[in-house]
């Protein structure tokens, strides 16, 4: 029996996906539920599992855009598993590594172009006048031959070393990356985006973490007490104080929310993902840390779904983990605000008239000025700062043990 495998719908609004990588080869024997391909939508990269066991015939190439519901492969379910076939667990890495075997072949191509080029007499005369060696340029003629036009357009090297690699590679952006690029440009072009900055003294948070992180980890099954739970709690408090920051523009209307679905930017193997922590205002410190860890693991393992990233009323992004000291984060449409965290650096500051050294972090709020005024934006960021610099009173109601469920 020949089974037609069709592209399942990753989400209600998605009509097309792109074959990112085939994890098997044409003619391979596949097991039911074995991952046979990775497909990109404009929101996530998903694995495509085999619907049955049998011999597979591929009907689409890597990079092809295929409609949801289209046939991408056939599986002959009546075919017997070949004797001596490698275990399924070993087959997948072999297929993934296959392109690496052919990659070194790209280098000789560039060398061949230089080796076979031979300037025409007219081109030779021009190159001699310019004192340029034929080996310093690439011919565009047949077989790499240097044409007169190549010689005319050639320029004298201004100290550029010769003999080194001058190759380049052109690869197609994934559908996800193309969609991200499109949204970023739209955010810059279609919003009145401004950024306001402040700084936070991280000493109070560090004192709480140093005192309770071991007990927190032991009590909650190895869960770490990180900075994100403090920032998430500080943001949900500030959003309640300044609801315009938790609003979106819809044509001539403003939509405001009485809940806080916080998008958390995390780095995954396919690039930046922004899963959503739902109703973050109702979560405890343990709840926030557990949910962020769950979503981060799904992103790392390539298991993040469209539903995980749909929605969100406000975004937090932490460029500090990569060493960023200051940045202007771009709004995640259709949201109206995004908070950027940065790295923590010990700096001298004035405290009660004296110079002290404290761990300081710059924070940035990018916001859509069409819906958020200066008072709200600055007030929101100040509220975040106040909560982070006085977490015991403003985020923990004066009882750290109770707030951390210890």
């Amino acid at each position: 029996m020949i089974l037609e495998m069709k592209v399942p719908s990753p989400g209600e609004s998605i009509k097309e996906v792109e074959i990112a990588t085939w994890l098997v080869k044409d003619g391979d024997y596949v097991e039911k539920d074995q991952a046979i391909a990775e497909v990109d939508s404009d929101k996530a990269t998903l694995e495509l599992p085999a619907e049955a066991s049998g011999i597979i015939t591929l009907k689409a190439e890597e990079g092809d855009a295929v409609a949801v519901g289209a046939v991408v492969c056939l599986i002959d379910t009546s075919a017997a598993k070949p004797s001596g076939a490698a275990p399924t667990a070993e087959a997948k890495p072999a297929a993934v590594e296959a392109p690496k075997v052919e990659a070194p072949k790209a280098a000789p191509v560039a060398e061949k172009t230089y080796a076979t080029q031979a300037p025409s007499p007219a081109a030779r005369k021009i190159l001699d006048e310019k004192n340029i060696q034929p080996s310093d340029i690439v011919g565009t003629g047949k077989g790499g031959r240097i044409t007169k036009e190549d010689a005319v357009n050639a320029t004298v090297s201004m100290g550029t070393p010769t003999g080194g690699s001058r190759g380049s590679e052109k690869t197609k952006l994934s559908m996800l990356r193309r969609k991200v690029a499109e949204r970023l440009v739209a955010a810059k072009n279609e919003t009145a985006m401004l950024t306001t900055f402040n700084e936070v003294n991280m000493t109070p948070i560090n004192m709480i973490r140093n005192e309770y992180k071991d007990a927190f980890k032991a009590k909650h099954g190895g869960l770490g007490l990180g900075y994100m739970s403090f920032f998430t709690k500080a943001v949900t408090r500030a959003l309640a104080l300044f609801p315009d920051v938790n609003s979106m523009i819809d044509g001539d209307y403003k939509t405001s929310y009485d809940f806080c679905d916080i998008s958390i930017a995390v780095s995954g193997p396919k690039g930046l993902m922004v899963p959503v922590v739902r109703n973050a205002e109702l979560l405890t410190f343990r709840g926030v840390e557990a949910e962020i860890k769950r979503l981060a693991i799904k992103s790392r393992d390539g298991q993040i779904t469209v539903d995980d990233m749909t929605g969100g009323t406000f975004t937090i992004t932490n460029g500090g983990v990569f060493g960023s000291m200051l940045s202007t984060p771009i709004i995640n449409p259709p949201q109206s605000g995004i908070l950027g965290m940065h790295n923590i650096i010990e700096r001298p500051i004035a405290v009660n008239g004296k110079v002290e050294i404290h761990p300081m972090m710059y924070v940035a709020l990018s916001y859509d000025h069409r819906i958020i005024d200066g008072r709200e934006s600055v007030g929101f960021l100040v509220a975040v700062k106040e909560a982070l610099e006085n977490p015991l009173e403003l985020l923990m109601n004066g009882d750290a043990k109770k707030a951390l469920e210890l």
Side-chain angles (χ1 to χ4, degrees), residues 153 159 170:
N153 294 330
K170 186 176 182 178

Side-chain angles (χ1 to χ4, degrees), residues 341-369:
M341 302 166 55
H342 301 89
N343 62 347
I344 301 171
I345 297 179
E346 289 193 342
R347 290 191 284 111
I349 62 171
V351 179
N352 297 324
K354 296 181 179 180
V355 176
E356 298 181 6
I357 296 177
H358 286 270
M360 304 297 294
M361 176 193 287
Y362 288 120
V363 288
L365 173 71
S366 291
Y367 61 98
D368 190 344
H369 207 350

Side-chain angles (χ1 to χ4, degrees), residues 119-134:
S120 66
R124 167 66 72 178
K125 184 175 183 300
I126 295 173
L127 291 177
D128 288 343
E129 292 173 353
K130 291 185 174 184
N131 196 25
I132 297 176
Q133 294 297 320

Side-chain angles (χ1 to χ4, degrees), residues 8-123:
S9 175
E12 184 178 348
S13 62
I14 298 175
K15 306 300 181 184
E16 186 180 69
V17 299
E18 187 174 279
I19 304 297
T21 307
W22 280 111
L23 304 178
V24 296
K25 298 188 295 293
D26 196 51
D28 279 356
Y29 185 88
V30 298
E31 300 282 359
K32 183 179 180 181
D33 296 327
Q34 174 187 347
I36 60 174
E38 290 182 348
V39 295
D40 284 340
S41 72
D42 60 6
K43 295 183 179 178
T45 297
L46 309 170
E47 284 191 345
L48 187 65
E51 296 177 5
S53 300
I55 300 294
I56 191 169
T57 301
L58 308 183
K59 292 295 184 182
E61 301 289 338
E62 290 185 359
D64 284 355
V66 291
V68 170
V71 176
V72 289
C73 66
L74 305 176
I75 299 179
D76 185 356
T77 59
S78 61
K81 184 175 183 178
S83 59
T88 302
E90 297 177 6
K92 180 175 178 179
V96 173
E97 294 179 3
K100 297 181 181 178
V101 177
E102 298 181 2
K105 294 181 181 179
V109 173
E111 295 176 3
K112 182 178 179 181
T113 303
Y114 284 96
T116 60
Q117 60 186 316
S120 66

